Amino acid sequence: MSAATEGLAAAVRPRSGWTGALVVLALALALFGFLFREEIVAAVHTWETSTAYNHCWLVLPVVAWLAWVRRDRLAVLGPVPSPALALLILPPAILWLLSERMGIMEGRQLAAIGILWAMALAILGWRVCRAMAAPLLYLVFLVPFGAFAVPLLQTVTAHLVELGLRVLGIPHYVDSFIIETPAGTFLVAEACAGLRFLVAAIAFGALYAVTLFRSPGRRLAVLAAAVIVPILANGARALGIVVLAQHLGSAEAAAADHVVYGWGFFSVVLVLLILAGLPFRQDSAPAGISVPTTPRAAPGGARFVLAGVLVALLSSAAPGVAAVLDEAGGEPMTATPRLAAVPGCTAREDGALDCGGLTATARLLVFPARTTWAGVAATRRRLLGDEDEAYIFRIPAGDVTWDARQAPETLDTNAAAAWLDGHLAGDGLRSRAMQALNSLRGNGGMPVVLAITLRAEGERAPGAAERRTLLTSLVEAQGELVARADAFSRRVGN
């Protein structure tokens, strides 16, 4: 800073009001942590258990670094609480309530970040938040978002591999995510979709953009490259594995440790992105900072108190409404219905079937009308199994299409379907919105989940393909059980 700026900063600092602002902000953050503890716990759990979001542990240190390198901007600025800006909490609060009723954790977490931004605006004021815009906005990468894009990324990767094989003249057959070549069969699994590369690249691209570039156009170009290049690179990586198998003569040898090799390939892609952007860097250009011409008196403590009270009330409204609605909910009713037998299976007294080394069982769950779709979706995922490398397929049976998964090691094979208001329901926005409306009214249809599981008993159980065939036969034979599930979903709750 110049001597004049330093003198002005010295004049402003004693009356800046930072003590009161930091006290109120600390209290607001404590309240935020209490109100949105489920979102925080869910995010941390995802960082720890999903390799796609391990980089999220670095977000807070990056935010602290971005704030530290911008600390000079605060030398000439003081917090100016704006109680009216607390009203900006309402839009993300409404979004949070809708997301909570629809069972969309990512929506809840993103809305919570929006509430946090509005808290900062109300307590610190527009000028301070503008000076710290980069670290504040970077907080969005604390949210482990993007899982919804996995099927699309799998599809894009499979298409890129197919295109590459066609150009290279390698014989192949593609069926959805399954790619067959003379060297063997390859599956574009969820772990191979490239999500872990994409979300890490976007987070890195955002940091690269705000650090080395100033103009909005160049920053947007960097972010666009951070999205497009990893998708194309992941397709090239998958194609390379298939092509390598042609030379090794073994799909298993080519695919061994492909995730580890993928990170090395991804690191090279990031280095190339950095090198491509360096000739256009603008980090030497001074960032524009608006400096007040005269020192302002520190705002009164009453304004900080009013801003803090409004922040507390408005941020608590949506979680309070959700808690009231949850009081009317409850646990699902669970039954183990009898399965209709198919050739090769014999019925047992407990309703299960013995199928030549395999045991087939069914579970029927009926949820209260006021439940959120999060509970329904979580239960169905748990019944299906959520292993990253699982073989995923669907079983059409009449008017019902069942979701099915086969575990990679145990080969446990599960199928599940859900109904709502007499209609087959998935995890899409339509089903979630319908159940959100039911939970608000409390008198709509009740969500129902029906699951069928095949597990091995003994060491001489059938193989993976035989289990999938048997599960398909079982699902197709359960017309009466499907009708019961549909009827339960039409009942009106109290």
Side-chain angles (χ1 to χ4, degrees):
M1 287 188 296
S2 65
T5 304
E6 291 179 356
L8 180 56
V12 173
R13 195 175 296 117
R15 296 183 289 170
S16 60
W18 276 107
T19 301
L22 293 177
V23 170
V24 175
L25 184 62
L27 293 174
L29 290 176
L31 178 64
F32 178 88
F34 173 76
L35 292 174
F36 303 105
R37 57 194 180 277
E38 290 185 17
E39 287 76 9
I40 296 172
V41 170
V44 172
H45 176 73
T46 303
W47 304 348
E48 186 176 342
T49 58
S50 174
T51 55
Y53 301 104
N54 291 155
H55 68 278
C56 290
W57 290 105
L58 301 175
V59 171
L60 286 179
V62 169
V63 167
W65 177 77
L66 288 172
W68 175 254
V69 298
R70 287 162 174 76
R71 65 191 184 280
D72 288 345
R73 303 182 181 188
L74 301 183
V76 292
L77 294 175
V80 181
S82 303
L85 292 181
L87 294 175
L88 293 177
I89 291 176
L90 290 177
I94 293 172
L95 174 62
W96 182 91
L97 182 60
L98 292 175
S99 300
E100 192 272 341
R101 290 294 96 186
M102 295 171 69
I104 304 176
M105 179 54 75
E106 290 179 21
R108 292 171 58 175
Q109 292 165 337
L110 289 170
I113 293 295
I115 291 173
L116 185 62
W117 289 337
M119 284 180 168
L121 279 169
I123 297 170
L124 301 178
W126 168 253
R127 293 172 63 86
V128 170
C129 289
R130 183 183 178 187
M132 291 288 112
L136 283 173
L137 292 176
Y138 204 80
L139 289 171
V140 75
F141 291 107
L142 291 171
V143 177
F145 60 86
F148 64 88
V150 167
L152 176 60
L153 293 174
Q154 288 177 280
T155 301
V156 171
T157 301
H159 285 327
L160 290 174
V161 173
E162 182 181 15
L163 177 62
L165 293 175
R166 189 179 303 159
V167 171
L168 296 173
I170 298 176
H172 62 280
Y173 172 75
V174 178
D175 180 11
S176 185
F177 303 146
I178 301 176
I179 302 170
E180 295 183 7
T181 71
T185 300
F186 301 85
L187 171 66
V188 183
E190 293 181 9
C192 303
L195 177 66
R196 67 189 73 192
F197 305 147
L198 179 60
V199 294
I202 293 174
F204 174 80
L207 178 61
Y208 190 46
V210 300
T211 303
L212 295 184
F213 299 91
R214 296 284 177 261
S215 68
R218 295 190 185 189
R219 287 177 171 177
L220 288 176
V222 171
L223 288 176
V227 174
I228 296 172
V229 172
I231 294 176
L232 297 178
N234 187 65
R237 179 186 67 89
L239 174 62
I241 292 172
V242 178
V243 173
L244 184 61
Q246 291 296 112
H247 298 283
L248 296 179
S250 169
E252 290 78 8
D257 292 331
H258 67 282
V259 173
V260 176
Y261 298 146
W263 275 115
F265 181 77
F266 178 65
S267 300
V268 173
V269 171
L270 280 186
V271 171
L272 293 177
L273 275 176
I274 294 172
L275 294 177
L278 286 179
F280 308 98
R281 61 191 295 178
Q282 298 172 308
D283 55 317
S284 60
I289 305 175
S290 177
V291 180
T293 56
T294 57
R296 297 182 180 182
R303 292 188 65 184
F304 283 117
V305 173
L306 178 59
V309 170
L310 288 176
V311 161
L313 291 176
L314 293 175
S315 59
S316 302
V321 172
V324 171
L325 294 175
D326 287 340
E327 286 294 327
E331 296 295 322
M333 297 180 293
T334 304
T336 54
R338 289 185 173 274
L339 285 168
V342 297
C345 297
T346 57
R348 300 193 326 201
E349 293 184 1
D350 59 0
L353 300 177
D354 285 326
C355 303
L358 297 173
T359 298
T361 57
R363 291 191 67 186
L364 181 66
L365 297 95
V366 181
F367 293 79
R370 285 201 182 275
T371 194
T372 65
W373 197 259
V376 182
T379 299
R380 185 166 61 174
R381 285 195 299 270
R382 178 173 53 81
L383 293 173
L384 280 172
D386 55 1
E387 294 88 349
D388 287 341
E389 301 290 342
Y391 179 82
I392 303 171
F393 59 105
R394 289 192 168 188
I395 304 175
D399 296 332
V400 180
T401 299
W402 297 66
D403 293 320
R405 295 174 72 101
Q406 187 171 66
E409 296 182 2
T410 64
L411 296 183
D412 287 347
T413 310
N414 310 308
W419 289 263
L420 178 61
D421 290 337
H423 301 283
L424 192 67
D427 286 340
L429 290 178
R430 179 178 177 273
S431 299
R432 292 175 180 275
M434 287 177 59
Q435 184 53 31
L437 181 60
N438 284 345
S439 70
L440 293 172
R441 295 183 307 179
N443 59 355
M446 296 186 293
V448 175
V449 172
L450 176 61
I452 299 175
T453 298
L454 276 177
R455 286 191 173 88
E457 285 193 358
E459 298 181 355
R460 302 184 62 182
E466 291 83 354
R467 297 190 195 199
R468 294 196 295 269
T469 301
L470 176 58
L471 183 64
T472 300
S473 300
L474 283 170
V475 164
E476 292 173 345
Q478 307 308 317
E480 182 178 347
L481 193 52
V482 166
R484 288 173 58 190
D486 180 272
F488 274 119
S489 75
R490 297 174 187 267
R491 294 185 180 182
V492 178
N494 296 321

